[in-house]
Amino acid sequence: MSSLSRELVFLILQFLDEEKFKETVHKLEQESGFFFNMKYFEDEVHNGNWDEVEKYLSGFTKVDDNRYSMKIFFEIRKQKYLEALDKHDRSKAVEILVKDLKVFSTFNEELFKEITQLLTLENFRENEQLSKYGDTKSARAIMLVELKKLIEANPLFRDKLQFPHLKNSRLRTLINQSLNWQHQLCKNPRPNPDIKTLFVDHSCGQPNGARAPSPANSPLLGSLPKAGGFPPLGGHGPFQPTPAPVPTPLAGWMSNPSTVTHPAVSGGGAIGLGASSIPAALKHPRTPPTNPSVEYPPGEADHVSKRTRPMGISDEVNLPVNVLPVTFPGHSHSQVFNATEDLPKTVTRTLNQGSSPMSMDFHPVQQTLLLVGTNVGNIGLWDVGSRERLVLRNFKVWDLSACSMPLQAALAKDPDVSVNRVIWSPDGSLFGVAYSRHIVQIYSYHGGDEVRQHLEIDAHVGGVNDLAFSHPNKQLCVITCGDDKTIKVWDAATGAKQYIFEGHEAPVYSVCPHHKENIQFIFSTALDGKIKAWLYDNLGSRVDYDAPGHWCTTMAYSADGTRLFSCGTSKDGESYIVEWNESEGAVKRTYQGFRKRSLGVVQFDTTKNRFLAAGDEFSIKFWDMDNIQLLMSIDADGGLPASPRIRFNKDGSLLAVSANENGIKILANSDGMRLLHTVENLSYDASRTSEASKPVVNPISAAAAAAATSAGLSDRGVSAVAIPGMNGDARSLADVKPRITEESNDKSKIWKLTEISEPSQCRTLRLPENMRATKISRLIFTNSGNAILALASNAIHLLWKWQRTGKATASVQPQLWQPPSGILMTNEVSDTNPEEAVCCFALSKNDSYVMSASGGKISLFNMMTFKTMATFMPPPPAATFLAFHPQDNNIIAIGMDDSSIQIYNVRVDEVKSKLKGHSKKVTGLAFSHVLNVLVSSGADAQLCVWSSDGWEKQKNRFLQIPAGRTLTAQSDTRVQFHQDQIHFLVVHESQLAIFETTKLECVKQWAPRETSAPISHATFSCDSQLVYACFLDATLCVFGASNLRLRCRINPSAYLPSSVSSSNVNPLVIAAHPQEPNQFALGLSDGGVHVFEPLESEGKWGVPPPLENGSASSVLAAPPVGASGSDQAQR
């Protein structure tokens, strides 16, 4: 069989395993003899399925092939024989002796006689050699250890024990490429073609009339499959899975790597060919280029599956066909004609640090904060949005007496010190500085300009050349390397030395910590060009590679951790960027485009799992990761040094570049410019409203602005952050408009609460009603912002669309929309009174479908046809809240009325975990993708924080109910994350509160007076700068989110007709527009829905109250608990 045919068998094996054809997988393994599945073999031996064990072995070896094979079969048959004797089944034992063991008599007759004599013993353990035979289970386990050694030593099994390291769903990817190519060749490509068979080549028929629009331009691309189309392969429901990172052994050096079956799929749920029964309906539409052609990467680009893989149900990929997800222009990372649009190329800021920048790093959450270290030992912290330098620290040894004598002597002789590296910790709470003399300093960061000394470590003799943070054993550590040829690991909390790695023969230049599955390791490079890898075990280096250039080399992984790159410069000035094949320790590809002699050591960075960038030849050079040719080169308007330092922010929208004359240039793409504009306006707002002369940067505002364009997943091509809403949706906030407040100091001094009591004082619109609808239980704007979806208590969904304006507004009446079929989206209900059932829903990110429940089964609806796509999880228990996992839309967190939370994988129809912590029904769920946690809230007024990695409970806390407040029977508690993904809003009938997640501490609280009506619902505005709240007396209030101070009150008379009493009609749910911070909608108990906007002349809801103590009030700086008396009096 040819090598390609052999590889095809492996692809089929992977596909069968993903589709859970378990028996067929092992049958093909046996018949082909290409892969011996040790895990399956072990399971069959443990279960005593001896016939299957021998049948499986027969695909790879026969009894008399060699002495290893003979020993394998003998041990298996002997065990089978002894088990028959142990059960006193003499006839079975005789049969095994005659049929199975007699074959060995020709090789060892004496042994065969001894085995036969066991039949004469009452208990075979009377034989001295078998006296230690235990029970069946332990005997099988002991035998397995021996069998594995024999199999691994048997030359017939060589190269058959390791499954190739394939990207997930590789066969499906190849079919994608074929279909895409076939569709490109169509003379008249249809925008949404049906693929009814894979048996013949695809071809679009001639359209009637004019040429059909290309799929790249079609606004309906990927909306729906046509009725009667060929059903996709695989019957696991309509959910496109998210491939998990595949563990790749590093040249076999990792100790005790876990043995996995088909490792390409063991890391995450099975990924099936055509896993989606309506895949086109579940894809996130993007704006593609006008070029209708489809390009494919060059032959060496073997990461197609990573580029084309769908990220959850709703992300990223338009589908030109209705069978498989296919990459179209604008999505593939190899598209040169539009790739450069995503790169930050426009110079938007020029800063002056005062000394030459040597190292830079953007804050991982507040992505406009830039940390800088310079050649004279200074560190600076800049908010590049406001152009303000928040911190400047000159080099100083904090405790000279604690330093070693060599350091004290060196500083006395030459006090000049340079910064070699600055870097933030993963959560941005710490940053480290590595200096050219012995020292590492760790600072803690508390927002704004507050930086505190945390640790000072006399780390190395000579210079500290690099610094990194890592989490071995779930404990934050600092990793350093230096001129003394060592790598050291320190406890980031105490500074205690944990490991020292020795083995390099030259000064260690850089370190790169990483992990594969549960195996943590560190790559290091030295000035002799050696690359080594270390586990946290003090057992020495596991590999020894040679880096191109054999001198100064740094290493970095792509953001998703799947691809390893290095950049190095030789002593002669030859520079190299290469990608590594980790499993072989070999260079996979070498990127071209460097000048012959680089003037200095070239630095590089990666972004978006797509681009590489390096500073060389007085410019910044960019490469697509999948193409060795230079993508483009820019000079950033000139003024760059020969080899500029560069650093991307986390989502790749900003790029910091060192410039001549101590300068730093900030380059941005369109998302980055919007981010900077937002932060600039927020900073301007603070400076206009503050009585202090110096502008105060509000950390949570900066974080919010950063999150406004922060990538929800690390390898997205478009910047967006998912913000779980109160109704269980996950919002994309890339298009949130910045707010510019107009208040002056004069207005602040005469501040007065804005009261709205007349319809003429704001814009409000009651939406057209459906006579069948009862009270509105859930309400949400669609992510596109052009429609509102409501769920009524009688299980009917209502959808209003602003088709004429393209955006929801209180100025134009929308249409109560239904598909041509006239059907309604109606949930299944339980046998009890549906009005008493708890309603909940979650909307997909691309508005294609909604998951919903009203006391009965959970339903999945197609938002374009209103058809029910699937139902699952019948009660009891009944679902009370739904939330999608932000990084895998196949995983849903489902709050239940029995107080549990079920982590459910929709595709495989399986509950992965069941979380117990609440004592009453679960009423709120919210994910943070930054902290990797799930926050839950319940009718028990309790908050719980769960790790979204292992689902263990991290913290829990009960709300402090204000004294004198009597709670109603249904005291629901809701939670919603702030844009910074670190703080969250808690809504309870007795209070609004802002909590910090990691400590689960309340940092701000507001409570209505005892005589006031309870809070019925509240939500953040889309930019997290306001909180909209509604009360059971039909009053609406608008608060500033940073301090929970009331700025505007809307009375019932402003929107309810005089004929309607506010005691009979009250608001139950409130929803914020996804892009317009000052627009919100209200769902009422009479089935009505109202949309609210401020008057155009005002442009906002009231004026913020004057700032306390002349400084901007911040969530981060707020007192632990409690609202001021004046705050309470305002309600």
Side-chain angles (χ1 to χ4, degrees):
M1 181 178 285
S2 70
S3 60
L4 286 181
S5 297
R6 186 174 185 274
E7 290 181 2
L8 180 58
V9 171
F10 281 110
L11 295 179
I12 295 170
L13 282 172
Q14 184 196 42
F15 168 72
L16 293 173
D17 188 81
E18 290 168 342
E19 289 301 301
K20 300 190 183 304
F21 294 109
K22 297 299 184 185
E23 293 183 8
T24 311
V25 168
H26 304 311
K27 183 68 175 175
L28 182 55
E29 288 167 350
Q30 175 218 324
E31 289 192 341
S32 68
F34 290 159
F35 173 64
F36 185 85
N37 191 325
M38 188 69 82
K39 179 68 167 62
Y40 173 69
F41 179 76
E42 289 176 16
D43 291 342
E44 294 303 297
V45 170
H46 277 303
N47 295 329
N49 297 330
W50 305 118
D51 290 342
E52 178 57 27
V53 167
E54 287 208 18
K55 184 178 179 182
Y56 189 73
L57 274 171
S58 69
F60 302 87
T61 183
K62 301 292 186 290
V63 175
D64 56 356
D65 278 346
N66 57 42
R67 60 190 179 91
Y68 298 102
S69 300
M70 184 176 295
K71 179 70 170 169
I72 291 168
F73 279 93
F74 175 77
E75 289 296 329
I76 291 169
R77 294 175 182 182
K78 181 184 76 173
Q79 179 64 27
K80 184 165 61 167
Y81 176 67
L82 293 178
E83 288 183 20
L85 290 176
D86 210 22
K87 295 176 182 176
H88 302 289
D89 189 348
R90 297 299 175 91
S91 61
K92 181 69 172 177
V94 170
E95 180 183 349
I96 295 169
L97 186 68
V98 174
K99 289 186 176 180
D100 297 330
L101 289 170
K102 190 171 178 59
V103 66
F104 301 103
S105 64
T106 57
F107 305 100
N108 192 331
E109 189 170 353
E110 288 301 315
L111 178 61
F112 181 74
K113 287 180 180 179
E114 188 175 356
I115 291 174
T116 305
Q117 288 173 0
L118 296 178
L119 286 168
T120 65
L121 302 177
E122 182 63 25
N123 185 338
F124 65 81
R125 293 173 181 82
E126 295 171 19
N127 182 294
E128 185 178 351
Q129 295 183 47
L130 297 173
S131 60
K132 295 183 179 180
Y133 185 99
D135 59 9
T136 298
K137 184 177 180 181
S138 62
R140 289 175 181 173
I142 292 169
M143 179 189 65
L144 254 178
V145 174
E146 181 67 14
L147 290 180
K148 289 175 68 176
K149 291 179 181 177
L150 291 168
I151 289 170
E152 289 168 359
N154 194 330
L156 294 175
F157 290 81
R158 191 168 296 146
D159 301 325
K160 296 181 179 180
L161 299 177
Q162 182 68 44
F163 197 85
H165 299 296
L166 306 176
K167 295 294 179 179
N168 290 47
S169 306
R170 179 61 183 159
L171 183 61
R172 188 157 146 268
T173 300
L174 294 174
I175 297 174
N176 287 346
Q177 292 176 323
S178 174
L179 291 172
N180 214 358
W181 180 251
Q182 293 168 28
H183 191 63
Q184 182 195 0
L185 296 178
C186 293
K187 293 182 179 179
N188 299 287
R190 292 181 179 175
N192 192 20
D194 266 346
I195 302 296
K196 296 185 178 181
T197 179
L198 296 177
F199 295 160
V200 297
D201 287 351
H202 161 69
S203 177
C204 290
Q206 180 71 28
N208 294 325
R211 173 187 169 89
S214 73
N217 293 321
S218 171
L220 299 176
L221 179 59
S223 59
L224 293 172
K226 296 179 181 176
F230 184 77
L233 305 180
H236 299 292
F239 293 89
Q240 198 63 35
T242 303
V246 181
T248 307
L250 304 176
W253 58 266
M254 295 188 293
S255 63
N256 301 319
S258 54
T259 303
V260 292
T261 304
H262 296 306
V265 294
S266 65
I271 313 300
L273 173 62
S276 169
S277 61
I278 54 159
L282 304 182
K283 295 297 150 194
H284 182 56
R286 301 272 293 278
T287 306
T290 56
N291 189 334
S293 66
V294 181
E295 292 190 6
Y296 282 91
E300 93 253 1
D302 59 352
H303 285 270
V304 174
S305 61
K306 178 167 74 63
R307 296 195 308 273
T308 60
R309 67 186 185 180
M311 298 302 297
I313 315 173
S314 59
D315 286 325
E316 318 228 270
V317 184
N318 282 326
L319 299 187
V321 294
N322 290 333
V323 175
L324 304 167
V326 182
T327 301
F328 253 69
H331 309 145
S332 171
H333 294 174
S334 63
Q335 311 305 324
V336 176
F337 55 80
N338 76 325
T340 58
E341 295 176 5
D342 288 336
L343 291 170
K345 307 185 296 292
T346 305
V347 178
T348 59
R349 301 283 191 275
T350 299
L351 314 174
N352 192 292
Q353 176 61 31
S355 49
S356 180
M358 301 297 291
S359 178
M360 300 175 290
D361 196 29
F362 280 99
H363 193 279
V365 178
Q366 302 178 37
Q367 294 193 59
T368 60
L369 294 186
L370 178 66
L371 183 65
V372 182
T374 77
N375 64 334
V376 297
N378 292 346
I379 57 170
L381 180 62
W382 292 82
D383 187 319
V384 299
S386 64
R387 299 177 173 86
E388 180 185 9
R389 183 163 60 192
L390 305 175
V391 175
L392 176 62
R393 296 286 176 92
N394 297 324
F395 173 72
K396 176 185 176 184
V397 177
W398 300 342
D399 186 359
L400 189 61
S401 63
C403 295
S404 63
M405 291 307 297
L407 173 59
Q408 295 185 42
L411 291 175
K413 182 178 180 182
D414 182 3
D416 291 340
V417 172
S418 173
V419 172
N420 284 335
R421 179 80 149 132
V422 292
I423 191 169
W424 290 97
S425 64
D427 64 356
S429 62
L430 301 172
F431 65 83
V433 187
Y435 292 99
S436 60
R437 299 288 183 87
H438 294 240
I439 287 284
V440 167
Q441 292 178 341
I442 309 296
Y443 290 84
S444 61
Y445 180 59
H446 302 270
D449 58 359
E450 190 174 354
V451 170
R452 301 175 191 167
Q453 297 177 359
H454 177 61
L455 285 176
E456 184 173 62
I457 304 172
D458 190 346
H460 295 271
V461 178
V464 184
N465 295 323
D466 201 6
L467 170 78
F469 288 93
S470 184
H471 274 100
N473 306 316
K474 297 186 177 180
Q475 179 182 11
L476 184 65
C477 294
V478 178
I479 303 167
T480 63
C481 66
D483 288 344
D484 57 6
K485 307 176 186 178
T486 65
I487 300 104
K488 298 180 182 180
V489 181
W490 315 84
D491 186 305
T494 65
K497 184 165 64 180
Q498 296 182 326
Y499 301 96
I500 179 169
F501 301 131
E502 298 176 305
H504 277 293
E505 298 176 1
V508 186
Y509 183 73
S510 70
V511 288
C512 176
H514 196 57
H515 65 91
K516 294 283 185 179
E517 280 199 331
N518 61 340
I519 299 173
Q520 302 270 349
F521 56 91
I522 305 166
F523 277 119
S524 62
T525 71
L527 292 182
D528 58 1
K530 292 295 183 184
I531 298 174
K532 295 181 182 292
W534 317 81
L535 297 176
Y536 296 84
D537 57 9
N538 286 326
L539 295 180
S541 173
R542 299 308 206 273
V543 302
D544 193 345
Y545 302 159
D546 286 315
H550 298 277
W551 194 42
C552 297
T553 298
T554 54
M555 306 186 79
Y557 277 88
S558 55
D560 61 5
T562 61
R563 302 174 70 173
L564 177 63
F565 303 90
S566 73
C567 176
T569 302
S570 73
K571 293 180 180 179
D572 296 328
E574 293 281 350
S575 292
Y576 307 85
I577 291 184
V578 301
E579 181 175 6
W580 288 87
N581 184 323
E582 292 175 82
S583 61
E584 299 176 7
V587 171
K588 188 173 191 174
R589 55 168 65 89
T590 301
Y591 298 89
Q592 301 174 4
F594 285 110
R595 64 174 291 157
K596 291 296 183 184
R597 291 287 184 269
S598 297
L599 301 175
V601 176
V602 170
Q603 287 196 357
F604 87 123
D605 202 0
T606 74
T607 185
K608 296 187 176 183
N609 302 307
R610 178 176 180 184
F611 297 116
L612 300 166
D616 179 53
E617 206 172 354
F618 306 95
S619 63
I620 305 111
K621 296 179 178 180
F622 297 96
W623 292 264
D624 186 296
M625 288 180 178
D626 297 320
N627 192 331
I628 63 172
Q629 300 300 324
L630 185 66
L631 178 63
M632 68 177 304
S633 178
I634 59 174
D635 65 0
D637 299 339
L640 300 186
S643 298
R645 270 75 175 168
I646 64 170
R647 191 68 170 169
F648 288 103
N649 68 345
K650 185 176 180 179
D651 69 2
S653 62
L654 300 177
L655 176 63
V657 182
S658 65
N660 292 331
E661 299 178 354
N662 307 326
I664 302 168
K665 294 192 177 189
I666 306 299
L667 282 60
N669 62 13
S670 57
D671 289 332
M673 285 188 275
R674 183 162 57 243
L675 168 60
L676 294 175
H677 182 56
T678 302
V679 176
E680 189 175 34
N681 287 331
L682 289 168
S683 176
Y684 173 72
D685 178 16
S687 67
R688 289 290 296 273
T689 56
S690 173
E691 293 178 1
S693 59
K694 178 183 175 182
V696 178
V697 176
N698 183 340
I700 201 167
S701 299
T709 54
S710 171
L713 295 174
S714 59
D715 58 347
R716 285 196 177 176
V718 165
S719 300
V721 63
I723 303 293
M726 289 290 190
N727 286 308
D729 64 312
R731 288 254 177 254
S732 169
L733 292 171
D735 298 319
V736 173
K737 291 186 177 179
R739 296 165 53 251
I740 306 175
T741 53
E742 303 291 343
E743 300 83 356
S744 66
N745 291 333
D746 292 340
K747 282 190 178 181
S748 297
K749 293 174 183 175
I750 57 170
W751 179 84
K752 181 180 179 182
L753 174 68
T754 301
E755 292 263 6
I756 295 177
S757 301
E758 299 294 332
S760 60
Q761 293 177 289
C762 67
R763 290 181 289 166
T764 179
L765 175 68
R766 185 174 176 111
L767 306 187
E769 297 181 31
N770 182 308
M771 292 300 102
R772 295 175 58 183
T774 53
K775 66 181 181 182
I776 303 299
S777 298
R778 290 289 185 270
L779 189 70
I780 190 174
F781 282 86
T782 58
N783 293 279
S784 62
N786 66 355
I788 290 177
L789 177 67
L791 174 57
S793 60
N794 61 357
I796 294 176
H797 297 77
L798 306 171
L799 181 66
W800 291 272
K801 286 188 177 183
W802 277 262
Q803 293 179 311
R804 186 157 59 90
T805 60
K807 179 173 282 192
T809 173
S811 304
V812 177
Q813 192 78 262
Q815 174 191 3
L816 182 57
W817 192 86
Q818 279 184 276
S821 63
I823 63 174
L824 294 172
M825 286 190 289
T826 307
N827 281 332
E828 294 188 15
V829 295
S830 61
D831 296 333
T832 58
N833 184 355
E835 294 289 327
E836 298 176 358
V838 176
C839 299
C840 54
F841 65 17
L843 183 64
S844 71
K845 292 177 185 142
N846 65 345
D847 302 330
S848 291
Y849 60 94
V850 64
M851 195 167 291
S852 182
S854 297
K857 292 182 181 179
I858 300 174
S859 299
L860 181 72
F861 295 101
N862 185 314
M863 285 279 286
M864 293 200 148
T865 64
F866 284 12
K867 289 181 179 178
T868 304
M869 295 152 55
T871 59
F872 50 94
M873 297 196 73
T880 54
F881 206 91
L882 299 168
F884 286 109
H885 191 291
Q887 291 159 324
D888 186 350
N889 275 344
N890 298 299
I891 305 298
I892 307 171
I894 306 174
M896 295 293 189
D897 62 5
D898 68 350
S899 78
S900 69
I901 302 167
Q902 299 198 18
I903 308 302
Y904 178 71
N905 188 313
V906 182
R907 184 175 185 276
V908 298
D909 190 22
E910 181 181 343
V911 176
K912 294 294 185 182
S913 295
K914 192 170 184 178
L915 314 183
K916 286 285 190 178
H918 292 279
S919 58
K920 295 183 180 180
K921 70 181 179 184
V922 177
T923 57
L925 296 168
F927 280 98
S928 167
H929 68 265
V930 169
L931 300 177
N932 290 327
V933 297
L934 169 68
V935 173
S936 63
S937 59
D940 55 2
Q942 184 184 190
L943 305 173
C944 295
V945 180
W946 314 82
S947 164
S948 58
D949 294 326
W951 302 112
E952 66 272 8
K953 185 162 72 172
Q954 296 181 339
K955 287 183 171 61
N956 69 296
R957 178 162 296 185
F958 285 89
L959 289 179
Q960 295 181 9
I961 306 302
R965 171 66 69 173
T966 302
L967 302 182
T968 61
Q970 298 295 327
S971 298
D972 291 354
T973 309
R974 302 285 175 81
V975 287
Q976 180 189 18
F977 267 99
H978 187 281
Q979 272 187 340
D980 69 359
Q981 296 280 284
I982 295 172
H983 297 82
F984 63 89
L985 172 68
V986 177
V987 181
H988 185 265
E989 66 172 53
S990 67
Q991 64 190 279
L992 302 175
I994 304 290
F995 275 74
E996 194 278 333
T997 308
T998 57
K999 297 178 181 177
L1000 199 55
E1001 288 182 352
C1002 179
V1003 295
K1004 199 68 179 174
Q1005 184 188 51
W1006 181 90
R1009 290 182 298 182
E1010 295 177 26
T1011 56
S1012 299
I1015 301 167
S1016 57
H1017 198 221
T1019 185
F1020 276 125
S1021 62
C1022 62
D1023 59 1
S1024 294
Q1025 297 303 298
L1026 302 175
V1027 173
Y1028 297 114
C1030 54
F1031 297 77
L1032 289 181
D1033 63 359
T1035 301
L1036 313 178
C1037 288
V1038 183
F1039 299 84
S1042 64
N1043 49 26
L1044 289 184
R1045 299 194 67 187
L1046 185 63
R1047 57 186 285 169
C1048 178
R1049 179 164 51 217
I1050 304 173
N1051 294 308
S1053 56
Y1055 67 96
L1056 291 178
S1058 56
S1059 58
V1060 176
S1061 169
S1062 60
S1063 60
N1064 297 328
V1065 175
N1066 45 64
L1068 301 177
V1069 62
I1070 198 164
H1073 192 281
Q1075 289 104 34
E1076 294 291 344
N1078 288 297
Q1079 185 182 144
F1080 65 92
L1082 194 67
L1084 304 177
S1085 58
D1086 66 351
V1089 173
H1090 288 253
V1091 176
F1092 291 82
E1093 289 180 284
L1095 295 175
E1096 290 187 23
S1097 58
E1098 295 291 332
K1100 59 191 176 298
W1101 295 109
V1103 177
L1107 301 168
E1108 299 167 353
N1109 302 322
S1111 64
S1113 178
S1114 160
V1115 168
L1116 298 178
V1121 172
S1124 66
S1126 61
D1127 283 346
Q1128 293 192 12
Q1130 290 170 1
R1131 272 284 304 146

